Amino acid sequence: MNSMRLNQMGAAFLIAAVALGGSWAAGSLLVPHRAAAQSAVPMPQSTPDDGQDPPIETLLAHADAAKGHEIADHQCGMCHSFAPHGPSVIGPDLFGVMGTHIGDIPDYEFSDALSAHKKDVWTPALLSEWIKKPDAFAPGTKMAFPGIASATDRANVVAFIQTLVEEKN
Ligand code: HEC
C-alpha cells in the first residue's frame, strides 16, 4: 500500500468523523428538551410483591386478625385445624404453633424439607415467609399450597395465628 492511498484513507476517515460529529450536534440541537422532559415523568410505583415488602412488624401493626381468620378458613382450613388439641387433617393442627420449633409436632410426620428448619422457631416473620411461597421456604415440602402473594393478607393470617394460644386464667 503506497502513501498516497494511506492519505486517501485518512481523509475519508476524517470526513466520516466530521459528518458523524456534525449530525450528532445537529441532533442534540433539534431535541434539546427531550431529556429534561423525561426526568419529570414519575417513576412507576413498586408493587407489593417485588421482594420489597414492608417489615412484618409494620404490617402486623395494621393487621386484622378477623380478616386473617376468614382467609385462613378459606385457604388453610381444608388441610389444617385451628382448634386446641385439634386433629391433624392433611397438615398438622395449628393451634399454638407460633413460637414452637418448626416441624416439631410429635404426632405429625413432617417432610424432611420442613424438618430441616427444626432448629428455628415460628416467628411472625418466618410464618409470613413460609405462607408466601412454601416451596421456596422449604423446597420439596408436602404442604401443597402455592402461597399468598399479598403481604397484607399474609400479615392478617399471621395476626390470626398469633391469637391461637391458650387463655391465661
Ligand atoms: C393442601 C393442604 C394445605 C394447605 C391448603 C395449607 N397447608 Fe399448611 N401444611 C400442610 C402440610 C402437608 C404441612 C406439613 C408440611 C411438611 O411437612 O413439609 C403443613 C405445614 C404447615 C405449618 C408447619 C407447622 C409446624 O408445626 O411446623 C404451618 C405453620 C402451616 N402449614 C400453615 C399453613 C397456613 C397458615 C395455611 C394457609 C395460608 C396453610 N398452611 C395451608 C398442608 C396444607
Side-chain angles (χ1 to χ4, degrees):
M1 204 180 280
N2 60 34
S3 62
M4 174 69 180
R5 178 119 178 81
L6 273 178
N7 277 341
Q8 279 172 351
M9 281 174 68
F13 195 80
L14 211 75
I15 290 162
V18 167
L20 215 72
S23 64
W24 178 81
S28 46
L29 279 175
L30 283 171
V31 286
H33 299 301
R34 183 71 61 79
Q38 252 170 12
S39 68
V41 173
M43 293 298 290
Q45 293 294 309
S46 61
T47 61
D49 196 32
D50 61 359
Q52 300 290 311
D53 294 337
I56 187 77
E57 293 79 12
T58 310
L59 291 167
L60 276 178
H62 304 283
D64 182 337
K67 270 191 198 142
H69 192 169
E70 264 176 48
I71 298 169
D73 277 348
H74 286 123
Q75 304 216 31
C76 326
M78 70 287 263
C79 297
H80 290 285
S81 147
F82 303 108
H85 314 293
S88 297
V89 187
I90 291 170
D93 178 48
L94 294 181
F95 187 88
V97 77
M98 190 69 80
T100 65
H101 279 269
I102 295 179
D104 194 28
I105 296 173
D107 301 338
Y108 188 83
E109 202 175 312
F110 287 94
S111 66
D112 291 346
L114 196 58
S115 300
H117 292 264
K118 211 172 199 159
K119 65 174 185 355
D120 294 322
V121 298
W122 285 119
T123 59
L126 283 184
L127 196 62
S128 176
E129 194 188 327
W130 164 241
I131 61 175
K132 180 177 186 175
K133 214 167 192 284
D135 202 50
F137 182 92
T141 176
K142 59 179 181 173
M143 174 153 135
F145 180 69
I148 299 176
S150 156
T152 309
D153 284 353
R154 289 199 307 276
N156 289 340
V157 171
V158 168
F160 165 62
I161 290 178
Q162 277 183 316
T163 68
L164 302 178
V165 290
E166 303 281 359
E167 296 284 333
K168 289 191 190 82
N169 297 313

